[in-house]
Amino acid sequence: MCGIFAYTGGRNAKPILLEGLSMLEYRGYDSAGLYLSDQGVTRTPGAVTELRAKATGESSAKSGLAHLRWATHGEPTEENAHPHTDCDSNVYIAHNGIIENFNELKQGLIARGHTFKSKTDTEVLAHMIEEELKADKSFEDAVVDTLKKVHGTYGLLISYAKEPETIITARMGSPIVLGIGKGERFIASDATPIVKHTKKMVFLEDGDIAIVTPDSHRIRTLKEASVDRKEEEISWDVGEASRGGYPHFMLKEIFEAPEVLENALRGRLIVNEGRAKLGGLESVAKQLEKLDRLMITACGTAYYAGLIGEYLIEDLAGLPVEVDVGSEFRYRKPIIGKKTAVLAVSQSGETLDTLEAMREGKRRGALTLGVVNAVGSTIARETDAGVYNHAGPEIGVASTKAFLSQVTVLALIALFLGRARSLSEEDGKKIVKALMELPELSKKVLAKSDAIKALALKYKDARDFLFIGRRYSYPVALEGALKLKETSYVHAEGCAAGEMKHGPLAMIDNKFPTVVVIPMDSVYQKTLSNMIEIKTRKGPVIAIATEGDVRVAEIADDVIYVPKTEEQLTPILSAIALQLFAYHFAAEKGLNVDRPRNLAKSVTVE
Ligand code: F6R
């Protein structure tokens, strides 16, 4: 999820590239770099301010590449910043995405004498193109033949020192927008840095490779020498362009669910063995085998993901799990033995209470683990081992895509631990299959966005909401309530469906709606009884139910159906529906959904 920008045309490229890059900065990056044909590469940790300070000196280059990195492979250092180059400094590459098979490709290249200067997955591409060029292939053929050997995702910018006017770009999983000006072309990861120069754009499709010069562009695929892609005249302003045309980042990020789920799973499933492969946990595999307890610590939405992790890990791995919010864990004198691991879950990797809870675990002798989105963040650096989310930067203050990713990674950890313990191959395979289906299923929930919006409108005057669920759906109910209250400022309370009769039921009347999370799972009948109890008190009910469940529709006032999946993974699909509900409810009120009052994205104070 890096930001990339390229220019080729008649103007001086350097100021255009630096200005364009600063417009992409809103996504919050950790390092930056620039390639200009007459100056070579300038790279730095930090972002555009640091790059400007470093890229001094006049340039008259008329083309170049620029990159903002959001680290995935390798820490955010100067060496790992893009663009990367080959042994002869002829080929320059800026990349957004992950090359899955980079390790095996890299070993082959090292054996053939190539020297690597970074720890990134991207650098392999520069060396592979170098080899193809040395075999006397054209720039285009060298790129095409290289991409034939690559698995993974990419939005690529490639420059060749001997043909400085030409830039080749390729898209697989990571967006590429081509801007068409008069005698100039722009290429970027989203339309933001382009709209100022031209509104005429082509949105590349997966598998597209474009050969771009100032006056022309030809789009091809690995198989076909030319394909037609229509030019669009967009009407977005800069703000809309940065949100990819969505009215808010929160909605954009909810709609990133399929990609986020793919990214969390990519390269981590061994399908024929029903196992998860988690490179980040390999160094502590022996200690994990001996664990007798896992303590998960996190805050807010990440804490609710942790609660789902508890159900998952106890269910699939038979390992006792405790979950605690960071601010409690760090002060409650937790009992930690030699076989205890403390797992911190955090999108930012900087939440102070989670960090201090993890440090408290470490002081008491626990193995420390992390499920973190921000590479190189404090929690990621200080834990003994961990698994990255690869969900990309989350801009909306209310966490949405990170939550989906956290639950997915916790499911992978549960599978990883489970298969090393008691989980059978057959049951492992069931989970693997269901995980692989999730990205497609998530699209079906997203397709209901308009229907969910209509529902949010129907309930727009309600001032109080109760959210209930059982087992895996209990933390989902808690998260659904948090999402609604933080974006809409209405009172929303989550509770275990079984707890309702112990107090919350007293609040219910015809003006107090309840959202019942009721997938067809092992506790379906019990949740159904709770739903009936609410209806008996004349409480309006919105059900989040499994497609095809007619019984629920007879009782509830409204139903949002989500596709069927394994019980353990229902939280991911139900959560998307609740995220959309919260978003539309708040957006209809005209609230600042991306920046709810009184809240900050990263809570680095107690
Ligand atoms: C709610 C939300 C917060 C965060 C919490 C932890 O939508 O975003 O509750 O989940 O502040 O943040 P991280 O995951 O960065 O540790």
Side-chain angles (χ1 to χ4, degrees):
M1 299 262 186
C2 301
I4 58 177
F5 185 43
Y7 173 78
T8 180
R11 293 190 276 162
N12 189 340
K14 186 174 169 184
I16 297 174
L17 289 174
L18 284 171
E19 188 200 38
L21 214 54
S22 64
M23 294 174 97
L24 284 170
E25 236 180 357
Y26 67 91
R27 286 158 62 143
Y29 296 93
D30 52 45
S31 43
L34 182 69
Y35 165 70
L36 294 162
S37 51
D38 59 351
Q39 286 195 329
V41 164
T42 312
R43 299 178 301 183
T44 176
V48 184
T49 314
E50 288 77 5
L51 187 63
R52 270 185 204 279
K54 205 166 173 193
T56 50
E58 286 296 303
S59 163
S60 54
K62 301 279 190 286
S63 75
L65 319 178
H67 186 271
L68 279 170
R69 181 163 185 252
W70 210 79
T72 57
H73 291 67
E75 301 286 297
T77 58
E78 180 181 336
E79 305 74 60
N80 291 332
H82 299 213
H84 291 286
T85 189
D86 62 323
C87 297
D88 302 334
S89 301
N90 267 330
V91 178
Y92 293 87
I93 297 208
H95 170 213
N96 172 22
I98 298 171
I99 305 300
E100 274 168 45
N101 57 338
F102 86 99
N103 220 353
E104 60 191 81
L105 294 168
K106 187 170 175 173
Q107 296 320 315
L109 287 158
I110 290 172
R112 293 194 293 282
H114 292 262
T115 311
F116 279 78
K117 297 175 276 297
S118 76
K119 291 201 166 56
T120 62
D121 50 334
T122 305
E123 196 184 334
V124 294
L125 299 175
H127 295 278
M128 288 167 76
I129 296 171
E130 172 195 347
E131 285 195 345
E132 300 291 353
L133 286 167
K134 281 189 175 149
D136 258 356
K137 292 186 184 169
S138 66
F139 180 25
E140 178 177 338
D141 286 347
V143 171
V144 169
D145 289 347
T146 294
L147 292 182
K148 283 182 183 160
K149 297 174 198 149
V150 163
H151 306 301
T153 53
Y154 47 79
L156 284 175
L157 302 174
I158 312 165
S159 213
Y160 178 32
K162 296 185 182 166
E163 296 177 27
E165 282 207 332
T166 308
I167 295 169
I168 299 187
T169 180
R171 174 189 165 139
M172 182 60 77
S174 307
I176 289 283
V177 186
L178 174 64
I180 302 155
K182 285 203 176 73
E184 54 186 7
R185 295 286 187 278
F186 308 82
I187 309 163
S189 43
D190 69 44
T192 326
I194 302 179
V195 279
K196 179 182 170 198
H197 303 283
T198 175
K199 303 251 170 183
K200 214 191 265 183
M201 301 193 190
V202 178
F203 293 83
L204 262 54
E205 295 179 12
D206 274 352
D208 284 355
I209 302 165
I211 296 88
V212 183
T213 67
D215 297 301
S216 70
H217 61 270
R218 176 168 50 86
I219 304 176
R220 58 164 297 163
T221 63
L222 287 180
K223 289 197 185 121
E224 290 171 83
S226 176
V227 289
D228 260 351
R229 298 285 176 248
K230 74 173 187 324
E231 284 177 26
E232 290 178 41
E233 190 81 33
I234 62 146
S235 56
W236 304 338
D237 60 22
V238 172
E240 274 174 298
S242 67
R243 297 186 301 266
Y246 288 95
H248 295 100
F249 282 110
M250 182 177 171
L251 190 62
K252 175 175 184 271
E253 286 162 2
I254 297 171
F255 269 82
E256 279 170 20
E259 189 185 340
V260 162
L261 298 173
E262 294 270 14
N263 284 350
L265 297 171
R266 178 165 296 110
R268 289 173 168 171
L269 293 172
I270 310 176
V271 181
N272 56 358
E273 292 177 25
R275 284 180 196 279
K277 186 176 79 185
L278 297 171
L281 296 184
E282 263 161 30
S283 62
V284 295
K286 285 263 155 341
Q287 283 154 283
L288 292 178
E289 267 170 37
K290 295 192 194 113
L291 277 195
D292 63 11
R293 197 157 57 110
L294 180 68
M295 299 173 98
I296 300 181
T297 185
C299 298
T301 289
Y303 166 70
Y304 296 140
L307 281 181
I308 298 170
E310 176 182 22
Y311 285 84
L312 278 162
I313 293 166
E314 293 194 342
D315 194 0
L316 300 183
L319 178 68
V321 180
E322 256 178 66
V323 195
D324 218 337
V325 287
S327 53
E328 288 303 312
F329 183 94
R330 58 186 288 203
Y331 293 119
R332 81 170 160 92
K333 298 196 172 63
I335 313 298
I336 288 174
K338 282 206 179 71
K339 296 180 184 168
T340 308
V342 171
L343 168 65
V345 182
S346 175
Q347 187 284 128
S348 61
E350 302 294 349
T351 302
L352 189 76
D353 281 325
T354 308
L355 173 63
E356 287 301 336
M358 183 276 291
R359 284 178 176 160
E360 179 62 20
K362 193 170 237 183
R363 274 193 288 276
R364 288 172 182 263
L367 170 74
T368 56
L369 307 170
V371 170
V372 173
N373 193 29
V375 174
S377 56
T378 312
I379 295 176
R381 280 187 278 112
E382 291 192 17
T383 40
D384 296 311
V387 185
Y388 280 123
N389 290 107
H390 299 321
E394 194 174 58
I395 312 287
V397 164
S399 185
T400 52
K401 64 175 180 173
F403 175 78
L404 305 178
S405 178
Q406 285 159 348
V407 177
T408 309
V409 168
L410 287 164
L412 286 170
I413 293 176
L415 181 64
F416 180 87
L417 295 172
R419 289 290 284 117
R421 288 160 184 259
S422 51
L423 190 71
S424 70
E425 182 175 323
E426 192 189 337
D427 288 341
K429 280 182 174 164
K430 256 196 236 166
I431 298 294
V432 167
K433 181 170 174 286
L435 281 167
M436 287 166 60
E437 287 167 357
L438 276 180
E440 271 316 299
L441 296 184
S442 71
K443 289 182 192 163
K444 296 195 174 169
V445 188
L446 294 172
K448 295 181 190 283
S449 183
D450 285 346
I452 295 175
K453 183 176 175 179
L455 207 58
L457 257 177
K458 176 175 168 186
Y459 288 91
K460 72 178 186 344
D461 296 326
R463 285 293 308 159
D464 307 276
F465 282 87
L466 183 65
F467 284 70
I468 62 168
R470 278 177 185 262
R471 206 164 177 236
Y472 283 97
S473 298
Y474 162 46
V476 177
L478 298 178
E479 169 60 7
L482 175 63
K483 223 55 332 141
L484 188 66
K485 71 180 131 192
E486 69 177 327
T487 52
S488 301
Y489 322 144
V490 296
H491 164 232
E493 220 172 296
C495 96
E499 274 291 292
M500 211 182 52
K501 278 190 287 226
H502 300 283
L505 190 58
M507 299 188 289
I508 297 301
D509 62 21
N510 61 356
K511 290 195 181 60
F512 198 131
T514 301
V515 177
V516 183
V517 187
I518 180 170
M520 281 215 181
D521 58 10
S522 57
V523 284
Y524 172 80
Q525 283 302 338
K526 300 213 177 292
T527 316
L528 199 69
S529 304
N530 297 130
M531 200 160 116
I532 293 165
E533 283 153 16
I534 292 166
K535 279 311 312 168
T536 312
R537 272 89 190 166
K538 302 202 165 25
V541 167
I542 304 165
I544 312 295
T546 305
E547 259 162 21
D549 182 352
V550 286
R551 180 92 182 91
V552 160
E554 285 163 9
I555 303 163
D557 297 79
D558 295 284
V559 187
I560 304 171
Y561 283 115
V562 297
K564 187 163 177 52
T565 179
E566 291 294 330
E567 175 162 4
Q568 291 88 348
L569 303 177
T570 51
I572 293 174
L573 301 178
S574 311
I576 297 174
L578 295 182
Q579 290 172 355
L580 285 169
F581 184 74
Y583 168 77
H584 288 302
F585 194 85
E588 282 305 314
K589 289 183 186 296
L591 295 169
N592 187 351
V593 187
D594 286 333
R595 286 179 182 270
R597 68 186 184 200
N598 311 338
L599 298 180
K601 183 68 187 159
S602 193
V603 186
T604 52
V605 289
E606 274 196 68

